[in-house]
Amino acid sequence: MDKLSDGRRRYGNSSWWILQAQDSHTASLALDALSTKFFGQANLQDKVIVEGTKYYTQALASLRKDLAGPEAFSIGTLAATSTLSMFELVTFTSHHGWIQHAGGLARLMQARGPHRHKSELERKIFLENRVLLISQGMMTRKGSFLSERSWKEVPWEEAPESKDPFDYLLDIGCAVPGMLEDNDRFSQSLTNLQSFPQQDLLQNLKDRVTRAFDELDAWWRGWASSNLDSCLEKFPDVSSRISFDEHGLLFDSVLWFESYWACYVTIFHNALRIILLGLGTIFTEP
């Protein structure tokens, strides 16, 4: 199976689950808010932007009502919450707004439990948002439920063959926010001159970082062997203006990716490796 193509189909396409969840009034309002506000911003249409904001306000009110009632754990409520998180990412109303929305989405998913993300539609929503929640955890430096074993297994129980290489890469990434949190706890214990239990915490953190490196190395070997031509080093295109400035050639070589998806996966892998390397410095400091 072409895992690279499979990854593009699963993550590179538009969020078709939004359209499937339109039986929900709240999800429909959330989609109206997202699409209207985005169209208005893209085309500099102030009246359309205002209309999108009105839909957003209505969607939030409807979502609060759903969360307080029997619809709290419905697919429509999950889809609406996810769409409103996208709204904040796309419209970028504040620097930290998306983090707050992602936090709300995380609390809803955790309350639903992993068993409520096993159907194809619910699993799609879960998978699409897992990257967002990992990023939110890294930004806040707080661990989450995603690092628990059940959240790495249960959503795929009805379709184990659907779990692809990127899903396994995210399994590794789910543990990183918790490592960042414990790193901060250890650093704080040094500041407070605490002698216990910082050494136990340090050893536990060292073991987890080492294990994550081993898992990441194994993942990369598998990815690279299955996608030999997904990334190539080439000489810069001399006809492209982005390769030059007034002083001449900017780079001796450039990386060419087979697709945006291959580039995205590689960047995410590299980001995890850089963060783990940063965590590893604590073990070598005097």
Side-chain angles (χ1 to χ4, degrees), residues 211-228:
R211 183 165 59 250
F213 262 124
D214 291 341
E215 293 173 351
L216 197 61
D217 287 341
W219 181 91
W220 179 254
R221 287 194 296 270
W223 167 265
S225 64
S226 300
N227 301 280
L228 295 175

Side-chain angles (χ1 to χ4, degrees), residues 26 57 59-69:
T26 306
T57 302
L60 280 179
S62 184
L63 179 60
R64 292 191 187 100
K65 181 179 178 180
D66 291 344
L67 288 171

Side-chain angles (χ1 to χ4, degrees), residues 92-253:
F92 198 67
T93 58
S94 71
H95 290 287
H96 302 291
W98 75 270
I99 295 179
Q100 295 174 346
H101 277 277
L105 177 62
R107 289 190 291 274
L108 175 60
M109 284 187 168
Q110 184 176 17
R112 285 169 53 88
H115 62 286
R116 286 195 176 95
H117 299 89
K118 293 169 64 172
S119 72
E120 183 179 11
L121 179 57
E122 290 167 305
R123 189 172 64 252
K124 287 284 188 179
I125 299 175
F126 167 68
L127 293 179
E128 185 162 309
N129 285 287
R130 201 157 67 134
V131 177
L132 175 68
L133 299 186
I134 292 172
S135 300
Q136 187 251 6
M138 290 179 180
M139 291 289 290
T140 60
R141 301 177 74 88
K142 298 292 182 183
S144 79
F145 63 95
L146 291 176
S147 63
E148 298 171 11
R149 182 174 179 178
S150 60
W151 283 94
K152 300 176 184 180
E153 297 179 353
V154 175
W156 290 270
E157 282 182 347
E158 295 182 359
E161 74 286 348
S162 70
K163 190 166 186 179
D164 69 17
F166 190 61
D167 293 326
Y168 286 105
L169 179 61
L170 291 184
D171 283 351
I172 302 171
C174 286
V176 172
M179 295 180 198
L180 293 171
E181 181 177 13
D182 285 347
N183 178 75
D184 292 345
R185 286 175 56 203
F186 176 74
S187 298
Q188 186 64 37
S189 72
L190 293 179
T191 302
N192 295 336
L193 301 178
Q194 297 176 3
S195 58
F196 184 84
Q198 68 178 34
Q199 293 305 320
D200 290 342
L201 178 61
L202 178 61
Q203 185 59 51
N204 178 270
L205 181 58
K206 181 178 180 179
D207 292 344
R208 287 152 60 200
V209 171
T210 300
R211 183 165 59 250
F213 262 124
D214 291 341
E215 293 173 351
L216 197 61
D217 287 341
W219 181 91
W220 179 254
R221 287 194 296 270
W223 167 265
S225 64
S226 300
N227 301 280
L228 295 175
D229 297 326
S230 64
C231 178
L232 301 174
E233 186 174 9
K234 294 187 174 184
F235 186 77
D237 182 2
V238 295
S239 64
S240 173
R241 293 184 179 181
I242 64 173
S243 300
F244 297 85
D245 64 8
E246 66 274 15
H247 302 295
L249 189 64
L250 292 173
F251 307 103
D252 294 330
S253 62

Side-chain angles (χ1 to χ4, degrees), residues 263-282:
C263 180
Y264 177 72
V265 173
T266 303
I267 289 174
F268 191 85
H269 161 270
N270 291 347
L272 289 182
R273 188 170 293 277
I274 290 171
I275 293 173
L276 289 174
L277 285 169
L279 285 168
T281 60
I282 193 173

